[in-house]
Amino acid sequence: MTTTSASPQVLAIHGGSPVRPTFLPYGRQSVDEADIQAVVEVLRSDWLTTGPKVAEFEEAFAARVGVAHAVSFSSGTAALHGAAFAAGLKPGDEAITTPMTFAATANCVLYQGATPVFADVSTDTLNLDPEEVARKISPKTRAILAVDYAGHPADLTAILEIARRRGLVVIEDACHALGAEYGGQRVGSIADMTVFSFHPVKHITTGEGGMVATNDPQFAETLRRFRNHGISSEARQRQSAGQWHYEMVLLGFNYRLPDIGCALGIQQLRKLDANLARRREIAACYTATFRQIPAVIPPAVRADVNPAWHLYPIRLDLEKLTADRGEVFRALRAENIGVNVHYIPVHLHPYYRERFGYKGGEFAVAEDGYARLMSLPMFHGMSDPDVEDVIHAVTKVIACFAR
Ligand SMILES: *Cc1c(COP(=O)(O)O)cnc(C)c1O
């Protein structure tokens, strides 16, 4: 018997062969022929930007998430800025938010000249801990900005209760959570304003794009003006009414989502249910496997919640491993598994450290989570062999580093 060939269980990072020959990213869009056709049709039409597709996309989106108004924006970040503006955030105000998010969540508070005040997260979901939120409330607090981390809705009942007692606006950053449900209600219909992103890694894409969902007609009107220079009517309305006159009533931006993107969004939205079903299937498969591996902690799902699974972030039980997160990360990348880390807590970024004096150690649960987190590939276009590759690679790498 010859033993010259390397054992298949030698890690790629140690010179073994990788689990798969091609790189599997953590997230990726799916664009089909119908999507392409819809965009081409707009390119041949009269309206490239604010034409009929904007209202059509907004109406379809509002119907899907069960809300009265949906206002599209040129990105999720622009939509967050619009929500911060509509909430009335201004210099001297504070908005309480989570450090366990993409920087844009907190940045939109700064755009308005207000101050983001971070509150620590709950250990199980890494979503805002309502008790920590309550502790951070001051006379300057005007809003709470919750994030549905990884697609698991935030603790909305408790957060809304805190907000209602004090007259605060609740903005939900649901950029991870299109299609998620909380207590039988659809995300998008629960908070005062709910923000979505259509960046290609998210559930549906328009290239770049975003949306604010709200049941409040006043917020909706302010959002529509804010995204269009603060002008109180749209060019298309004026053209059909044969009017030239318009009025700028507030200082807005050009944050419009073009018809080209909206045509893509309309098509993508039609496939959302199948997309969610696939993500939930992958998550169930991952969780069933990773529950058996002592050093891997799969993401928690609370009762009465149906997550949308934008991400599948595992946490490593580092006490059971001879390697740290960085080493496990590099080993999985060498196996061609595109793991990622979501997120470096916002207060630890140099800008926030320098501006607000954070040194690390302020938010123990978020920082401990960060040290252990690793997002595994999760997108609806993953094949069964892709899912098996991820499971194989994680099992192989963890077995090698197990204590
Ligand atoms: C993607 C994302 C954003 C920003 O959305 P863009 O469309 O990229 O501007 C904001 N918050 C969270 C939590 C996100 O994941």
Side-chain angles (χ1 to χ4, degrees):
M1 223 175 85
T2 57
T3 53
T4 46
S5 69
S7 153
Q9 294 309 109
V10 174
L11 300 189
I13 202 173
H14 296 152
S17 48
V19 160
R20 51 183 286 135
T22 56
F23 186 75
L24 181 69
Y26 86 89
R28 185 165 58 199
Q29 75 278 11
S30 296
V31 173
D32 65 17
E33 253 338 286
D35 295 338
I36 293 167
Q37 221 28 63
V39 170
V40 168
E41 268 171 44
V42 169
L43 290 172
R44 294 190 202 283
S45 77
D46 289 342
W47 296 96
L48 296 188
T49 185
T50 314
K53 293 296 174 192
V54 175
E56 196 183 325
F57 182 38
E58 290 176 343
E59 280 160 26
F61 191 92
R64 178 61 182 79
V65 303
V67 76
H69 311 277
V71 182
S72 60
F73 279 81
S74 53
S75 70
T77 303
L80 279 167
H81 188 186
F85 177 86
L89 284 177
K90 58 183 190 313
D93 290 343
E94 293 175 354
I96 299 172
T97 192
T98 166
M100 186 48 74
T101 186
F102 183 57
T105 312
N107 291 351
C108 77
V109 177
L110 294 176
Y111 296 160
Q112 285 304 109
T115 305
V117 172
F118 296 107
D120 209 348
V121 294
S122 302
T123 311
D124 60 341
T125 59
L126 300 179
N127 276 331
L128 267 182
D129 179 344
E131 281 181 30
E132 293 299 311
V133 171
R135 286 203 318 120
K136 293 297 178 98
I137 293 204
S138 85
K140 294 175 177 174
T141 311
R142 180 180 277 266
I144 301 171
L145 223 171
V147 174
D148 303 327
Y149 175 71
H152 186 296
D155 211 338
L156 295 168
T157 303
I159 287 170
L160 282 163
E161 198 180 294
I162 293 167
R164 293 293 172 260
R165 269 203 304 263
R166 295 172 175 84
L168 311 177
V169 179
V170 175
I171 302 170
E172 182 182 355
D173 178 340
C175 289
H176 295 184
L178 177 56
E181 289 156 352
Y182 176 88
Q185 287 177 283
R186 283 174 277 176
V187 161
S189 66
I190 307 168
D192 296 314
M193 285 179 272
T194 308
V195 176
F196 298 90
S197 163
F198 309 130
H199 181 278
V201 297
K202 307 292 162 69
H203 288 78
I204 69 170
T205 190
T206 59
E208 297 279 0
M211 193 76 84
V212 184
T214 182
N215 280 313
D216 184 321
Q218 208 63 53
F219 283 150
E221 184 178 80
T222 303
L223 290 162
R224 287 186 200 286
R225 291 173 172 181
F226 186 75
R227 69 152 179 219
N228 188 31
H229 309 278
I231 292 170
S232 56
S233 62
E234 281 172 358
R236 192 159 155 266
Q237 293 171 345
R238 291 194 299 275
Q239 177 169 312
S240 60
Q243 287 169 354
W244 55 268
H245 183 259
Y246 65 87
E247 288 179 330
M248 185 200 129
V249 294
L250 54 84
L251 186 61
F253 289 78
N254 178 351
Y255 277 160
R256 298 183 302 251
L257 183 61
D259 261 36
I260 299 169
C262 289
L264 182 54
I266 292 162
Q267 284 297 324
Q268 292 258 310
L269 197 58
R270 292 191 179 139
K271 290 168 277 197
L272 178 61
D273 285 329
N275 172 336
L276 288 163
R278 179 61 180 155
R279 287 171 185 267
R280 285 169 182 152
E281 197 172 68
I282 296 167
C285 187
Y286 277 167
T287 299
T289 309
F290 298 137
R291 251 197 212 120
Q292 325 273 341
I293 305 180
V296 174
I297 304 161
V301 177
R302 288 199 181 172
D304 222 16
V305 156
N306 193 4
W309 297 110
H310 163 57
L311 301 173
Y312 190 91
I314 58 167
R315 272 178 274 180
L316 299 175
D317 189 344
L318 296 170
E319 290 71 28
K320 297 196 170 91
L321 295 169
T322 59
D324 63 7
R325 190 263 314 272
E327 235 176 310
V328 175
F329 180 96
R330 285 188 294 278
L332 282 164
R333 280 286 179 97
E335 302 293 341
N336 274 324
I337 303 300
V339 286
N340 224 306
V341 175
H342 300 93
Y343 288 98
I344 301 166
V346 177
H347 68 288
L348 299 182
H349 285 297
Y351 183 86
Y352 279 85
R353 285 178 187 260
E354 281 160 32
R355 181 158 169 184
F356 298 102
Y358 292 115
K359 292 178 163 56
E362 289 88 357
F363 305 101
V365 182
E367 291 174 33
D368 177 74
Y370 166 57
R372 300 161 182 274
L373 277 170
M374 219 165 40
S375 302
L376 302 181
M378 167 59 84
F379 54 95
H380 45 290
M382 281 176 79
S383 67
D384 287 343
D386 290 338
V387 176
E388 282 157 24
D389 286 344
V390 175
I391 289 172
H392 179 185
V394 171
T395 309
K396 176 182 169 187
V397 167
I398 294 296
C400 176
F401 291 126
R403 263 191 209 286

